[in-house]
Amino acid sequence: MATRETNYLHWLDYLVMTALLTVSLGIGVFFALYKGGQKTKVEYLLGNRQMSMIPVCLSMFVTFQSAISLIGSPADVYSTGTMTTFVGFGIALSYIVGLFTVVPLIYPLHITSVYEYLELRFDSKCVRLLVTSLGMLQTCLYLAVALYSPALALQTAAGLPLWVSVAIVGGICTLYTAVGGIKSVVWTDFLQTIVFFIGIGAVIGLGSLQIGGMTQAFHLATAGRRIVFNEINPDVRERHSMWSTLIGSCFMWFSNCFSQSSVQRISALKTLTDAKRAFLLNVPLNALYSVLLMVTGVLLYAYVVTIGCDPYEAGIIDNRNQLMPHFIPHLLGSLPGMPGLYMSLLFSGALSTLSSGINALGANTVEDLLARPLRGYKDATVTVIAKFIVLLYGAVTIGLAYLAQSLRGPVTQLASSAFGACGGPVSGIFFMAGMVPWANKYGAFGGGFIGIVINLWIAVGAQLHGAPLRTLPPGPTHNCFGNSSHFPSFSNLTEFANTSISTGWNPNTNTTNALLNNPGDTFSIYDISYLWLGPIGFIVTFVIGTIVSFITGPTDPSSLDPKLVFPFTRRLFRMKEPLQRAEDLSNVVAMKNYRESWETFKKKTDRLVVNVVTEEGKITSQLTTPDQHSLLVSVS
């Protein structure tokens, strides 16, 4: 059994990591103090709806591409092959669907909480509270895994206890999010996206040079049966098939498109066109990111074969999720600061996800759970309360992250299971609301409740009784010696590669993977691929909700505001835009918050003009005083 080394990092690596955390905290403090700080709820949670497209687009991308994918995806490629690459393409597909559903539906409503839409659509606080609870549960579970991932990396590379790593990363992120609001989140995400791609590029570039080029890396990965792009087995127990990765991950990611984090960014932009462009740019970003992670995983496997030492099989590490944090210091260790850059990359992903998540949880709490109790308070007081709520959620996430170490499986699978189990029913309710005009509140509540019960049953059962992960044959261990500190330097890689070849090691002779592509004849629902949780929850919720709506009395489509369904649904059912008085539009247009913003506007002008552009025409409303409700409405 190989022994463990407690610290692989140079002092310069710690300096690089400290610099990133310091700058992130500085951005939060800057926006907390800039021009007197954020005094209103809309400014704190939505940046006054005046944010630029590029930073918001990158923030939307990096929010959901955290340290989970940076650690988990290369380890997944190493353990099970490159089919996981198609998960990224399924995610990209979900943004294309969202471009025609989420954005044109949500942006014109100018709402703060995404779940506010459900109350407008179904006229039911119960439906709103149910979906809010499911969405917040999903966010909390995901944030726990997102924070656990870099803490695990820091524990592996620096020898810090897990609770210390969790407390450092979680504490700093919670602090700058609480004081700086959505502006600090978006601009910190912008910085972290730059670090993201610089770090990945450095790892791929330097790693391929040291191994002997990308051709050599793919040659070794092909020999080790890691290069697989043609798995089309329709068996739902096949963990990564073409069907589960494309269809399953697309449905899984719908919940993110309809998440509070996404909707806050959509609503923070200046125009509907900017919101559509932000979604559209996320398509190539996610596809490119998936390919880069696949290449990183191939390099990881090639490096293991080249040095002849699989650290997991040798007992140097306890968890395959530690593969990347373990090898980066060895791979880049001759260049002080480079391992620190990679660790900063992990921190960037975790910070962006955690900051966005707890900011979204704060918005949900203020807008959905405490809206009535806080109704009599001044806006400045509500903003302060929101900041304290963000601090509370940060503390809860730190606690859950420490508990996440007891879960089994790759961190990517844990995160996707949380998305699918909770997010499938949530997205099913949203799509039913937007696609089925006759759906009512009973169908939404009943379908959502049954969908989440079934999904949680499968997800929890899979953790307790599901078949263990079937992996490909492990790498060689003949050069692990007796100590991990004997890993070769760059100059000795060729010598070790020749040694690995001379030993006659053959991955195909290992029997560990005898059942990889043969799930067996006995079917168990707990063995279903985690990627199918999203479609299962979505379909169950959608179908049962539609049936229950018919049984309990469907909603009359003619009585439904066309703005509350998808644009293609309006055309399909020929729902025309009715003429409405301005006060009737108050819940679905920018005028919803005109009272809160009146003090700002009256300093500049004695008349406020609100323009709302719809597909049917242009509505112009003129406001002369905040107390005048009967306003002129014209449709051109």
Side-chain angles (χ1 to χ4, degrees):
M1 179 73 66
T3 57
R4 302 167 191 269
E5 188 174 332
T6 59
N7 195 336
Y8 304 130
L9 300 180
H10 187 270
W11 67 266
L12 192 57
D13 299 319
Y14 289 105
L15 182 62
V16 172
M17 290 187 288
T18 303
L20 174 71
L21 294 174
T22 302
V23 171
S24 298
L25 182 59
I27 292 175
V29 173
F30 172 79
F31 282 109
L33 302 176
Y34 181 65
K35 293 184 178 180
Q38 293 114 338
K39 296 183 176 63
T40 67
K41 181 177 62 177
V42 173
E43 187 175 4
Y44 180 70
L45 297 176
L46 297 175
N48 245 1
R49 306 184 192 274
Q50 292 296 311
M51 302 206 69
S52 301
M53 189 272 293
I54 293 297
V56 170
C57 170
L58 296 180
S59 175
M60 193 181 300
F61 162 73
V62 79
T63 289
F64 299 112
Q65 302 298 352
S66 65
I68 293 174
S69 56
L70 287 167
I71 292 176
S73 291
D76 218 340
V77 172
Y78 179 92
S79 301
T80 64
T82 56
M83 281 300 298
T84 186
T85 309
F86 290 106
V87 171
F89 288 90
I91 291 173
L93 181 61
S94 72
Y95 279 103
I96 296 176
V97 176
L99 184 65
F100 298 98
T101 55
V102 180
V103 178
L105 174 67
I106 296 298
Y107 185 85
L109 303 183
H110 280 247
I111 54 181
T112 301
S113 167
V114 62
Y115 308 112
E116 186 178 352
Y117 159 74
L118 294 176
E119 184 175 352
L120 294 172
R121 170 63 178 84
F122 294 114
D123 192 25
S124 170
K125 290 188 180 296
C126 288
V127 173
R128 178 176 179 177
L129 289 176
L130 171 67
V131 183
T132 299
S133 301
L134 295 180
M136 293 178 71
L137 175 62
Q138 171 195 321
T139 301
C140 286
L141 294 176
Y142 180 67
L143 293 183
V145 181
L147 180 55
Y148 167 69
S149 299
L152 183 67
L154 195 58
Q155 179 192 39
T156 304
L160 286 178
L162 185 67
W163 70 269
V164 175
S165 304
V166 168
I168 291 175
V169 179
I172 291 177
C173 181
T174 300
L175 184 59
Y176 81 69
T177 304
V179 300
I182 190 65
K183 288 184 179 180
S184 71
V185 171
V186 168
W187 284 106
T188 305
D189 286 352
F190 179 77
L191 165 69
Q192 290 159 359
T193 304
I194 297 174
V195 176
F196 229 60
F197 283 104
I198 291 176
I200 294 176
V203 170
I204 292 177
L206 294 174
S208 62
L209 286 175
Q210 303 304 332
I211 290 171
M214 292 304 303
T215 301
Q216 173 69 359
F218 273 86
H219 172 73
L220 292 173
T222 301
R225 298 162 54 187
R226 264 59 183 180
I227 307 300
V228 182
F229 292 110
N230 60 349
E231 180 55 71
I232 57 174
N233 186 358
D235 193 329
V236 293
R237 294 170 296 174
E238 187 65 49
R239 184 170 178 268
H240 286 157
S241 67
M242 191 71 72
W243 314 107
S244 64
T245 53
L246 289 177
I247 299 175
S249 59
C250 179
F251 275 84
M252 172 197 72
W253 212 256
F254 283 156
S255 61
N256 283 335
C257 294
F258 270 110
S259 70
Q260 180 63 29
S261 295
S262 291
V263 169
Q264 272 186 262
R265 282 154 181 74
I266 292 172
S267 301
L269 289 165
K270 299 176 183 178
T271 65
L272 177 61
T273 300
D274 282 349
K276 289 182 176 180
R277 287 173 179 171
F279 254 62
L280 187 60
L281 287 175
N282 266 277
V283 174
L285 279 174
N286 280 278
L288 173 63
Y289 181 63
S290 182
V291 172
L292 292 176
L293 290 178
M294 179 270 293
V295 173
T296 305
V298 169
L299 287 171
L300 172 63
Y301 178 78
Y303 183 77
V304 168
V305 174
T306 301
I307 66 173
C309 181
D310 184 322
Y312 180 73
E313 293 297 315
I316 299 171
I317 59 176
D318 301 318
N319 192 316
R320 287 189 175 90
N321 293 318
Q322 295 174 307
L323 281 168
M324 281 300 290
H326 177 80
F327 274 112
I328 286 299
H330 293 293
L331 188 65
L332 306 177
S334 65
L335 301 172
M338 290 306 298
L341 178 63
Y342 180 79
M343 298 301 294
S344 298
L345 175 62
L346 298 181
F347 288 153
S348 295
L351 290 171
S352 62
T353 301
L354 186 60
S355 62
S356 300
I358 60 178
N359 185 267
L361 290 171
N364 289 146
T365 303
V366 170
E367 289 293 319
D368 300 308
L369 303 183
L370 301 179
R372 182 167 293 181
L374 296 177
R375 186 172 298 170
Y377 289 86
K378 295 181 179 179
D379 202 40
T381 304
V382 175
T383 303
V384 174
I385 293 174
K387 293 181 180 182
F388 278 104
I389 290 174
V390 167
L391 289 173
L392 176 63
Y393 280 117
V396 170
T397 301
I398 291 173
L400 290 175
Y402 186 72
L403 297 177
Q405 61 183 318
S406 61
L407 300 176
R408 62 181 180 136
V411 287
T412 48
Q413 180 172 326
L414 296 177
S416 297
S417 296
F419 278 148
C422 299
V426 169
S427 55
I429 292 176
F430 275 106
F431 271 81
M432 182 177 65
M435 292 179 63
V436 185
W438 58 85
N440 63 23
K441 59 184 178 182
Y442 305 107
F445 191 91
F449 183 78
I450 295 175
I452 190 62
V453 169
I454 291 176
N455 262 22
L456 287 180
W457 165 48
I458 297 174
V460 174
Q463 273 289 319
L464 298 176
H465 308 294
L469 177 66
R470 294 182 298 273
T471 62
L472 288 162
T477 57
H478 56 270
N479 281 335
C480 289
F481 301 107
N483 192 302
S484 62
S485 63
H486 291 166
F487 278 23
S489 63
F490 295 147
S491 60
N492 294 327
L493 280 179
T494 302
E495 176 187 343
F496 272 76
N498 293 334
T499 305
S500 296
I501 296 171
S502 66
T503 60
W505 173 76
N506 183 355
N508 297 312
T509 62
N510 192 298
T511 59
T512 302
N513 192 44
L515 298 177
L516 180 66
N517 294 314
N518 181 20
D521 298 327
T522 304
F523 181 84
S524 171
I525 195 169
Y526 302 133
D527 295 338
I528 292 177
S529 171
Y530 68 99
L531 289 174
W532 288 114
L533 286 174
I536 289 173
F538 182 100
I539 293 172
V540 168
T541 299
F542 192 95
V543 172
I544 291 181
T546 302
I547 294 174
V548 171
S549 295
F550 267 117
I551 295 174
T552 56
T555 300
D556 182 4
S558 63
S559 66
L560 187 65
D561 191 332
K563 293 183 179 65
L564 299 178
V565 296
F566 297 139
F568 62 81
T569 303
R570 302 171 201 165
R571 292 190 289 269
L572 181 63
F573 291 93
R574 298 181 179 181
M575 301 171 70
K576 294 184 179 180
E577 189 79 44
L579 289 174
Q580 300 183 51
R581 295 173 64 84
E583 61 268 26
D584 297 328
L585 296 173
S586 60
N587 283 328
V588 293
V589 296
M591 289 182 62
K592 175 178 177 292
N593 295 315
Y594 82 90
R595 284 180 177 275
E596 298 176 2
S597 304
W598 177 252
E599 290 300 323
T600 301
F601 281 105
K602 74 179 184 179
K603 293 178 181 179
K604 301 179 180 179
T605 178
D606 59 356
R607 186 171 67 180
L608 170 64
V609 178
V610 179
N611 293 318
V612 181
V613 180
T614 68
E615 293 186 358
E616 291 76 13
K618 185 175 181 180
I619 301 175
T620 302
S621 303
Q622 291 186 341
L623 177 68
T624 56
T625 71
D627 296 319
Q628 183 173 352
H629 295 285
S630 299
L631 307 174
L632 175 63
V633 177
S634 62
V635 180
S636 58

